[in-house]
Amino acid sequence: MLGSEGVIYSYTIIRTKAPLGLPNPYSVGYIDLARSSLRIFCLLDPAAIERLQVGLPVRLVVEPLGDDGHGSPRLRPYFTPRG
Amino acid sequence: MASVAIVGVGMSHFGKHPERTLVDMAGEAALLALKDAGIKPSQVELCFFANGLASRLFGDFTIGQNVFWEVGINRVPVVNVENACTSGSTALYLAYNAVAAGQAEVALAVGAEKMYVPEFGLINSGQSELDTQLGLVAPASFALRAVRHMTEFGTTPEQLAQVAVKNRRHARHNPLAQFREPVTIEEVLSSPMIVDPLTRLQCCPIADGAAAAVVCSSNFARQLGRAVNIEAVILCSGNYESPQNLTSWETDYRAFNLAYEKAGIGPEDLDVVEVHDAFTISEILHYEALGLCKTGEGGKLVAEGYTELGGRWPVNVSGGLLSRGHPVGATGIAQVCELVTQLRNEAEKRQVEGARIGLAHCMGGDKAGDTKSCTIAIFSV
């Protein structure tokens, strides 16, 4: 219903020791969803750190990101640049 | 409602104190406040103890009873308070309300925290909360505000850094602050990047420390002297609605407006202000919510010196959280200690000349892009 697309409202890159088995560095942001008025917090694709900017179109994926803190891959939702 | 005053304050040195226990530091602050007020422990009728982290870090709880017994207070009601970074200011809120309602003539509010432990890490807003599980740590929630403020209003890294430079300059004259060496804009910006665009010197350091305030009815205060009046103490929680505007924080604006209304004053009446500068961007956002400038102009306000000691609205003359450090449970009462000292004209080299009205502001917790808790207290002489 809410769709999986949106644009970045704000973002940051966390460069201190990452919690929860997240990669170092990792990124988070607020996304304005395209198909609703909601603005939601989520992880952003750490492979796209160089491309992140306010207004960038993104879509939600669920892919392995970091590990579960015990060495096994962990699936997480995150937004990645569209196209 | 009876009118209420503060008649005594005290705080321990904020810094790294591995040799001291939480109860030891809290007891020191409490005894200093009682001595400052000129009253005996047996005159205290009601006690509040604020702490944010000891249950997580040490497995300790109901610590207030230990603290108050350490200073010779037993039998009277003791309430332990946790409200994230507003724990201390919430203890003041409760003490104020109890005295105003006639529940007690004299109440004691103490806040303390011990944070220098190995592997402390970063604060979050609750381990099982969804945002925390998605990687939100406290500095990131403010970095997200900073990026948006820079995008919308052109706020610069140098303006952000100026907050840290100013507060360090103030801390030079506060012997109880943790970091007192001056820093330059260049040093602030070249310190390690923590969460873009916030560098290490733009994030408040952890600290061990405690602070205390004796709150009493104005009638009782007349016997003691050196009283500072409490004009308003308010506590607001967030609205948690989506979308949140990360640059003009509705909960912050709402809290300040409510406090001004209760005290019957406006920003033009303020002489000295302590705000919750957990990060440099926080102080800039709070200027705007306070009404010291228009939304978006907080960066210019600090860069032009308006909030410096000697400026129109000296903000965080204690050095703020950025220099003092932020022992979570103690911070809200440490701000009260500073304002009471200022309004009594006892702040020596960091004294704001002729200060008669002061305001303290704290914020705590993070939920759905909003704060969980916001407190304001307004004092006068």
Side-chain angles (χ1 to χ4, degrees):
Chain A
M1 294 290 282
L2 295 174
S4 60
E5 299 192 341
V7 297
I8 293 179
Y9 170 77
S10 192
Y11 69 96
T12 187
I13 299 150
I14 296 140
R15 300 181 188 275
T16 56
K17 191 180 170 192
L20 306 165
L22 284 161
N24 200 359
Y26 70 102
S27 177
V28 296
Y30 277 95
I31 309 301
D32 283 337
L33 295 181
R35 289 173 57 186
S36 86
S37 61
L38 294 177
R39 178 172 293 153
I40 64 166
F41 175 80
C42 202
L43 285 159
L44 300 176
D45 187 352
I49 279 175
E50 299 302 322
R51 294 158 63 196
L52 296 178
Q53 57 175 314
V54 172
L56 184 74
V58 289
R59 68 185 168 86
L60 185 68
V61 297
V62 179
E63 299 282 348
L65 184 66
D67 61 40
D68 63 357
H70 305 285
S72 301
R74 180 160 163 184
L75 285 176
R76 300 181 207 254
Y78 62 87
F79 281 88
T80 190
R82 252 187 275 166
Chain B
M1 297 279 279
S3 57
V4 181
I6 294 189
V7 287
V9 291
M11 64 183 267
S12 71
H13 179 264
F14 281 17
K16 187 174 185 176
H17 294 291
E19 76 289 0
R20 303 197 69 183
T21 66
L22 189 63
V23 170
D24 175 36
M25 293 185 293
E28 179 193 352
L31 284 173
L32 286 169
L34 293 172
K35 188 177 172 197
D36 184 42
I39 64 170
K40 292 178 285 196
S42 59
Q43 290 176 278
V44 176
E45 298 165 37
L46 177 57
C47 295
F48 298 90
F49 177 72
N51 174 264
L53 300 167
S55 57
R56 186 187 117 199
L57 296 176
F58 308 110
D60 285 334
F61 40 87
T62 44
I63 301 161
Q65 285 82 345
N66 302 346
V67 169
F68 295 115
W69 173 231
E70 191 74 14
V71 300
I73 299 171
N74 59 353
R75 294 191 170 87
V76 302
V78 171
V79 181
N80 289 280
V81 181
E82 187 273 302
N83 223 3
C85 304
T86 64
S87 296
S89 50
T90 300
L92 178 78
Y93 170 82
L94 294 169
Y96 167 80
N97 282 334
V99 173
Q103 293 287 314
E105 282 286 298
V106 183
L108 179 56
V110 180
E113 204 72 62
K114 191 170 168 63
M115 299 171 79
Y116 274 106
V117 296
E119 299 292 314
F120 178 76
L122 294 175
I123 284 185
N124 61 48
S125 195
Q127 197 58 33
S128 62
E129 294 195 18
L130 179 60
D131 287 354
T132 304
Q133 289 297 313
L134 288 172
L136 186 62
V137 288
S141 76
F142 287 89
L144 291 164
R145 294 178 189 282
V147 167
R148 192 68 204 180
H149 204 271
M150 295 164 97
T151 303
E152 283 188 34
F153 304 113
T155 302
T156 66
E158 290 74 18
Q159 290 171 343
L160 291 175
Q162 186 60 39
V163 174
V165 170
K166 168 185 71 73
N167 291 353
R168 275 294 186 91
R169 202 177 287 151
H170 292 164
R172 190 171 170 205
H173 301 300
N174 182 359
L176 298 177
Q178 179 171 202
F179 293 107
R180 300 174 62 198
E181 293 299 311
V183 291
T184 64
I185 287 179
E186 294 70 30
E187 285 167 335
V188 172
L189 293 179
S190 64
S191 63
M193 187 63 77
I194 304 295
V195 279
D196 302 29
L198 302 176
T199 55
R200 180 178 289 158
L201 289 175
Q202 300 189 59
C203 304
C204 67
I206 62 171
D208 305 327
V214 178
V215 179
C216 69
S217 69
S218 295
N219 276 339
F220 188 90
R222 278 189 205 103
Q223 310 162 29
L224 301 168
R226 287 168 73 244
V228 168
N229 306 312
I230 304 181
E231 299 293 339
V233 187
I234 67 115
L235 169 62
C236 288
S237 297
N239 62 61
Y240 322 124
E241 291 160 359
S242 182
Q244 287 286 323
N245 182 338
L246 291 193
T247 60
S248 61
W249 207 333
E250 188 273 337
T251 301
D252 210 18
Y253 283 73
R254 171 162 43 89
F256 281 123
N257 287 335
L258 186 57
Y260 284 145
E261 192 182 309
K262 280 207 170 181
I265 64 160
E268 66 281 1
D269 299 310
L270 298 174
D271 297 316
V272 56
V273 176
E274 291 277 307
V275 299
H276 202 79
D277 59 327
F279 303 91
T280 51
I281 182 64
S282 325
E283 184 167 316
I284 287 173
L285 293 172
H286 302 323
Y287 293 157
E288 298 173 8
L290 260 168
L292 304 187
C293 62
K294 289 182 192 157
T295 299
E297 294 183 356
K300 278 186 211 151
L301 193 77
V302 64
E304 290 170 6
Y306 284 92
T307 54
E308 186 106 19
L309 185 59
R312 171 65 185 86
W313 286 289
V315 176
N316 287 332
V317 285
S318 66
L321 281 65
L322 284 167
S323 313
R324 218 166 44 213
H326 180 28
V328 171
T331 286
I333 300 179
Q335 291 180 332
V336 175
C337 293
E338 179 65 22
L339 292 176
V340 166
T341 305
Q342 290 284 343
L343 297 180
R344 284 169 162 177
N345 197 22
E346 295 174 358
E348 299 178 352
K349 283 185 178 171
R350 64 181 194 282
Q351 180 65 44
V352 175
E353 271 181 53
R356 300 189 63 81
I357 297 182
L359 180 148
H361 159 275
C362 279
M363 264 194 165
D366 199 276
K367 181 178 177 63
D370 199 357
T371 188
K372 281 178 173 169
S373 180
C374 184
T375 57
I376 319 275
I378 297 177
F379 306 95
S380 74
V381 286

